[in-house]
Amino acid sequence: MSHRFFVLRRLLAASSTCLLGAGTCLFLAPEAAAEPATPVGYPAGASATRYAGLAFDACSAPPLATIRAWNASPYRALGVYIGGVNRTCAQPQLTASWVVSVSTLKWRLLPIYKGLQPPCGARPTDAKISTDPATARAQGTTAAADAVTAAKALGMRPGSAFYNDIENYAQTDATCRTAVLSHLSAWTKELHRRGYLSGVYMNLNLGAKQLSDVFTSTSYARPDALWIARYDGIDSLKGWTGIADSRWAVHQRAKQYRGGHDETYGGVTVNIDTDRLDAPVATVAYTYSVTSATALNARTGPSTSYPVAKTYAPGSSLAVVCQAPGLKVGTTTVWDRLTDGSYVTDYYVSTPSNTGYSSPLPRCTYPYQVTASNGLTERSGPGASYAAVGSSPNGALAWVTCQRAGSTVGTTKVWDRLDNGHYVSDHYVASPSRTTYSKPVPRC
């Protein structure tokens, strides 16, 4: 169909939603055809993980003994440099077994990739992004692929967020600006294609504002999360100069608010930068065992009504990525999602609780960006007739837990249940399908 007719259909659908809806309704403007919001192709067994709280990053990943000592600290997340041609410090501790051990201690990991740097900034000795936009895009695609390879070797799962470290650069150089934005756009698109989330680290005044200036531009794919550097000693994730609070607004922000300094916990001193996070981080798998006396069925969904995908003998090890609600078995409605995408009831798994969710396992979520340019109404149920109970701004992450059928909006009857219990029409969410359900998101 023609683009004009496609846009008209979206406008009519949005108007119908407002006419039918109860309560305040935000007008849903048509989305861009591709950029700035691009779909994430999550594979089976993927899930996103997020962290809200204090974090620190150090040039080299600390030894496991240091992490144990720092359990006495207020921090529970740690930035680690997973790769990149301009990564400065050696990483002798950063191995797959280290990642497992640190995660088991209930720490979250913030993966940092320090690749090519702006052609008009960073250190003179750094390898630089090309000033040719096409080459800069190709380099961004290569960087994303390299980050995925490095993360996989460390045991970081699809659904993880990787943060591209872009250091300070001249703000008046238009050629340089285009190169950086082209590079980061390709970085985002390739990570999304492979099933990962895109993050960017920038100085607030020397990079981040330029990224914010193209937040709604159809020329560039928009990253899912923004991590700024601003050493003002203020850990707020709002009120950033030059960046509206409505941008990267829903668990999509981090701030490095204090630069290199020493801190000591458990008798161990580390030189760190200090961060405040409410953002996606790395997803990892946790190992538990089957506790049933007979074979445990892994199913294609979180209920005994789903087909059996695999069977595990008593005592078998299970690699669990996340937990989701489902049919009650024994004393719990919790189901564990495994790395192959199948589900087992948590009642017969050696997690800490067999009545509820168990830390450090995250809830299973599949974030996609909101594409409605004036915001998307969140409703109490899967239809335009349900009460409006909130809203998500354009570019926010819709943290989807499951999908179900509801009233038709535009080209689809699919509604997304968010992790806050609200529903939004999938028509205005950058999921892979515009007409039906998107794998691997389960049915509600």
Side-chain angles (χ1 to χ4, degrees):
M1 67 179 70
S2 72
H3 176 70
R4 182 178 179 182
F5 180 66
F6 178 77
V7 169
L8 180 60
R9 284 186 62 185
R10 293 236 181 229
L11 286 168
L12 290 174
S15 299
S16 298
T17 301
C18 288
L19 289 171
L20 291 171
T24 302
C25 181
L26 298 178
F27 181 71
L28 309 181
E31 63 183 326
E35 286 76 36
T38 58
V40 185
Y42 296 112
S47 181
T49 303
R50 69 173 187 250
Y51 170 78
L54 289 175
F56 76 89
D57 56 281
C59 195
S60 294
L64 184 58
T66 297
I67 301 300
R68 290 195 180 99
W70 274 50
N71 278 339
S73 77
Y75 305 106
R76 282 299 176 272
L78 165 63
V80 290
Y81 287 87
I82 63 171
V85 66
N86 287 313
R87 182 171 67 171
T88 303
C89 295
Q91 304 293 335
Q93 305 296 328
L94 189 55
T95 63
S97 61
W98 183 91
V99 167
V100 168
S101 297
V102 170
S103 299
T104 301
L105 291 172
K106 300 184 179 181
W107 286 73
R108 302 297 190 195
L109 296 174
L110 185 67
I112 308 164
Y113 184 86
K114 193 171 183 182
L116 298 174
Q117 293 299 304
C120 60
R123 298 172 302 185
T125 56
D126 283 342
K128 301 298 179 68
I129 299 167
S130 171
T131 55
D132 174 64
T135 304
R137 287 192 293 271
Q139 291 170 332
T141 300
T142 299
D146 186 46
V148 169
T149 298
K152 282 184 175 180
L154 293 171
M156 296 179 182
R157 305 285 309 165
S160 296
F162 306 141
Y163 291 79
N164 196 326
D165 180 347
I166 300 293
E167 296 295 329
N168 304 349
Y169 64 96
Q171 302 296 282
T172 56
D173 189 325
T175 299
C176 182
R177 170 186 179 275
T178 299
V180 171
L181 295 176
S182 299
H183 183 81
L184 291 176
S185 178
W187 157 268
T188 295
K189 291 177 74 172
E190 183 63 11
L191 286 180
H192 283 182
R193 189 184 74 82
R194 291 171 175 262
Y196 297 82
L197 295 176
S198 164
V200 175
Y201 167 94
M202 283 180 158
N203 182 281
L204 175 61
N205 297 322
L206 299 174
K209 185 182 181 302
Q210 291 198 343
L211 192 65
S212 179
D213 287 344
V214 297
F215 189 84
T216 59
S217 171
T218 57
S219 299
Y220 304 105
R222 179 173 51 222
D224 302 294
L226 177 61
W227 179 13
I228 67 159
R230 174 67 169 168
Y231 299 151
D232 55 7
I234 301 171
D235 69 350
S236 177
L237 297 179
K238 293 184 177 181
W240 295 353
T241 302
I243 301 178
D245 288 342
S246 60
R247 298 186 170 184
W248 296 288
V250 183
H251 311 297
Q252 296 168 272
R253 288 189 171 203
K255 181 181 180 181
Q256 188 180 80
Y257 63 91
R258 188 180 179 191
H261 64 283
D262 288 346
E263 290 192 23
T264 303
Y265 296 98
V268 179
T269 300
V270 183
N271 187 266
I272 66 168
D273 298 325
T274 305
D275 309 275
R276 169 69 67 178
L277 272 63
D278 185 3
V281 291
T283 293
V284 299
Y286 299 84
T287 301
Y288 298 99
S289 60
V290 175
T291 61
S292 58
T294 58
L296 178 63
N297 291 328
R299 298 180 179 273
T300 59
S303 169
T304 55
S305 63
Y306 284 92
V308 175
K310 191 173 181 180
T311 300
Y312 290 91
S316 297
S317 293
L318 302 173
V320 181
V321 173
C322 58
Q323 295 185 310
L327 179 72
K328 187 173 185 178
V329 175
T331 57
T332 186
T333 59
V334 174
W335 285 68
D336 300 330
R337 188 157 201 183
L338 308 183
T339 54
D340 64 359
S342 63
Y343 294 81
V344 294
T345 173
D346 189 59
Y347 187 66
Y348 295 113
V349 179
S350 65
T351 53
S353 173
N354 69 349
T355 58
Y357 297 97
S358 294
S359 176
L361 286 166
R363 294 288 295 273
C364 300
T365 54
Y366 311 89
Y368 304 102
Q369 290 186 24
V370 169
T371 62
S373 57
N374 284 336
L376 178 58
T377 301
E378 299 175 12
R379 299 190 176 274
S380 61
S385 62
Y386 285 88
V389 290
S391 64
S392 294
N394 179 36
L397 282 181
W399 293 82
V400 179
T401 60
C402 59
Q403 296 180 315
R404 62 175 295 179
S407 65
T408 300
V409 177
T411 57
T412 187
K413 292 183 178 181
V414 174
W415 284 69
D416 301 328
R417 191 176 194 271
L418 308 181
D419 64 350
N420 62 6
H422 301 172
Y423 287 84
V424 295
S425 170
D426 191 59
H427 190 61
Y428 293 100
V429 175
S431 56
S433 177
R434 314 307 301 153
T435 58
T436 188
Y437 300 105
S438 293
K439 294 180 178 180
V441 184
R443 304 293 80 76
C444 298

